[in-house]
Amino acid sequence: MCGRYVQTSPADALATRFGARLPEGIAWTPRWNVAPSTPAPVVRDEGCGASVALLTWGFVPSWAKAGGTIRPINARAEGLREKPLFRDALKRRRALVPADGFYEWKAEGKGKTPWFFRLASGAPFAFAGIWDRWSAPGAGTIESFAIVTTGANELVGSVHARMPVILDAEGEEIWRRDGALSPAELERCLAPFPAAGMDAWPVSTWVNAPAHDGARCVEPAP
């Protein structure tokens, strides 16, 4: 799964990195501990070119009643095409979720040790995401997203059985393409990112609290 991640790029840098339009007035604070239910930037295309948007992390489908009581933060790659909750979004509302890295927790004895994972280059990248828009008279609008997960590669697998789908350059182009993807294209995008292209280290349990933020979250544990 993916329950916390890092996104520290400013708005203009993300727009440049992903070739996306930056709507006037959109801005956010760099985050070293993005948690569920909080707004985070995604790159999406609604038919007029890619743009950056702030969406809530926790997927609410357009057909949910009363805004949805179950808001999954992850969507499993396996069965993604068949599951009614995500099926329509997979066809029509895919998105790139910019990130610098993510956290997973390793069970050790009676506790869990947080680990930080990133690309070996340290460069920002994109998770595969899906999004939707829910609205109702008098209740406003909720735009939300989920991060797609897959089986872990060898590096992440030493800590957790699953990992977020990290897209390489070709995968980003396929995922942001308009319309449904073929089974072969989905298989290409949803495969685990190669372990050789990643880096990881244990970090302090400081990151466990969603309210904690800052570069201290990714500092190697003593």
Side-chain angles (χ1 to χ4, degrees), residues 82-134:
E82 291 78 28
K83 193 167 186 178
L85 180 61
F86 303 124
R87 186 169 52 207
D88 192 58
L90 175 65
K91 291 180 181 179
R92 300 177 177 86
R93 289 178 294 280
R94 295 184 300 276
L96 305 180
V97 182
D100 300 300
F102 63 96
Y103 304 99
E104 292 293 359
W105 278 257
K106 183 176 184 178
E108 295 181 313
K110 295 183 179 180
K112 292 185 176 181
T113 300
W115 280 70
F116 175 63
F117 296 87
R118 68 172 191 177
L119 297 190
S121 65
F125 57 88
F127 298 130
I130 54 174
W131 71 278
D132 211 337
R133 178 184 291 116
W134 178 92

Side-chain angles (χ1 to χ4, degrees), residues 130-146:
I130 54 174
W131 71 278
D132 211 337
R133 178 184 291 116
W134 178 92
S135 62
T141 298
I142 299 172
E143 291 191 317
S144 60
F145 72 96

Side-chain angles (χ1 to χ4, degrees), residues 38-75:
T38 59
V42 305
V43 178
R44 63 182 180 181
D45 190 338
E46 295 190 83
C48 54
S51 63
V52 181
L54 281 178
L55 274 59
T56 300
W57 188 16
F59 188 82
V60 181
S62 59
W63 43 263
K65 296 181 179 180
T69 55
I70 299 176
R71 302 186 178 191
I73 60 172
N74 295 153

